[in-house]
Amino acid sequence: MGQKLNVDFFDNMSIKDTKNWFEFKDGGLEVKDFDYKWKDIAMTIGGSHKINQDMNYHILAKIPRKMLEKSSVGAAANSGLDALSKEAGKLGIDIAQSEFVNVRFTITGTIAKPQVGMKLVGTDGKQSLADAAKDTAQKEFDKQKDKVVDEAKQKVEEVKQQAKDTVQAVIKENTEKAKQKAQGGDRQADKEDPGSDQEGVGGV
C-alpha cells in the first residue's frame, strides 16, 4: 500500500487490540468489516481468505491530505497523490480542495504472494470515483436542464407578450379605421342633404 502511494507511513503497520467477527463460509474464513485507525488514517477492513491461502481483502482508507503532502519520502511523496489526482481528473473530479483522500485498497493473490490494487473513491469512502463523476454529471445536467426550462418559459412569455401587443395594435388600428370611416360617413351625409333644416322652416 505504501508503494502504491509512494509513502512510508504504512511501514510496519500492525493491527492489534481489535474485536473481530468472522464466520466460516465457502471453504474459507470471512472477516466482517471492522474499523481501525493507524497514524490518523481511519480505515475499514474486511474480506476473506481460504484454506489454499487465496485472499480477497479490502481496506477503505481515509487519508488526511496533509499526510500525503508532508510525507518523509520527500519530493517524491506527491507522486502517489498526483496519480490519484490524474485518475480523478480523467473523470472530471477535482480533489485539490479535499481535506481527505479516500482510497480503496484490494489485497488479492495469496498470503505468500499478495497483490495490492488501489482505487480512488468518492468523498464518503464508499462511492466509486466513476459514480461520483456520474453524480457530478447528473447535477450539471439537471442544472443545465433547469436553465433551459427557465429560458424556454421566458421565451414563451416573451412570445405571448409580443402576440398580445400585436393583437392590441391590430385592434387599435381597426378601431381607428372604423372611427375614421364613421366620421367620413357623417360628412358624406351632410353633403348629400345640406339644406334640410331650411326646408323644414319654410314649410312651417
Side-chain angles (χ1 to χ4, degrees):
M1 288 164 54
Q3 289 175 356
K4 287 288 183 180
L5 284 174
N6 195 22
V7 295
D8 63 353
F9 47 72
F10 282 119
D11 292 355
N12 302 315
M13 175 180 168
S14 62
I15 299 176
K16 58 184 180 179
D17 299 328
T18 64
K19 184 176 182 179
N20 310 109
W21 298 94
F22 63 91
E23 67 176 322
F24 293 99
K25 184 177 180 180
D26 299 328
L29 180 70
E30 181 175 316
V31 180
K32 302 299 182 180
D33 283 2
F34 65 95
D35 295 328
Y36 192 72
K37 196 166 187 178
W38 172 259
K39 294 184 178 180
D40 294 327
I41 302 171
M43 293 179 284
T44 299
I45 305 171
S48 63
H49 63 269
K50 297 184 179 298
I51 296 176
N52 62 3
Q53 294 193 344
D54 285 345
M55 293 191 302
N56 186 14
Y57 280 91
H58 58 263
I59 298 177
L60 293 174
K62 186 175 183 179
I63 307 172
R65 185 185 178 86
K66 62 183 181 180
M67 291 186 67
L68 291 170
E69 294 176 340
K70 298 178 180 180
S71 172
S72 61
V73 174
N78 279 335
S79 63
L81 182 59
D82 288 343
L84 296 176
S85 298
K86 289 178 182 178
E87 181 184 351
K90 291 177 182 179
L91 295 172
I93 303 296
D94 183 12
I95 64 172
Q97 303 302 320
S98 301
E99 182 180 358
F100 296 94
V101 177
N102 297 297
V103 183
R104 178 185 176 90
F105 295 98
T106 55
I107 305 174
T108 57
T110 66
I111 294 176
K113 293 182 179 181
Q115 297 178 359
V116 179
M118 181 181 72
K119 186 176 183 180
L120 186 65
V121 293
T123 55
D124 60 0
K126 295 179 181 178
Q127 184 185 41
S128 70
L129 189 61
D131 289 338
K134 289 179 182 178
D135 286 348
T136 301
Q138 184 63 45
K139 289 178 181 178
E140 182 64 23
F141 172 79
D142 292 340
K143 180 179 178 181
Q144 294 300 324
K145 181 181 70 174
D146 292 340
K147 181 180 178 181
V148 170
V149 170
D150 290 341
E151 290 177 350
K153 288 181 179 179
Q154 182 179 355
K155 192 66 177 179
V156 169
E157 291 300 321
E158 290 176 357
V159 172
K160 286 170 65 177
Q161 186 61 46
Q162 290 175 359
K164 183 178 179 180
D165 293 343
T166 300
V167 170
Q168 290 178 343
V170 171
I171 292 175
K172 183 177 180 181
E173 183 180 358
N174 289 338
T175 300
E176 290 294 331
K177 287 181 178 179
K179 186 176 180 180
Q180 292 174 4
K181 185 176 182 181
Q183 291 174 348
D186 291 341
R187 287 194 294 270
Q188 184 65 30
D190 291 340
K191 289 179 181 180
E192 291 177 354
D193 191 12
S196 57
D197 291 341
Q198 294 178 0
E199 291 177 358
V201 173
V204 173

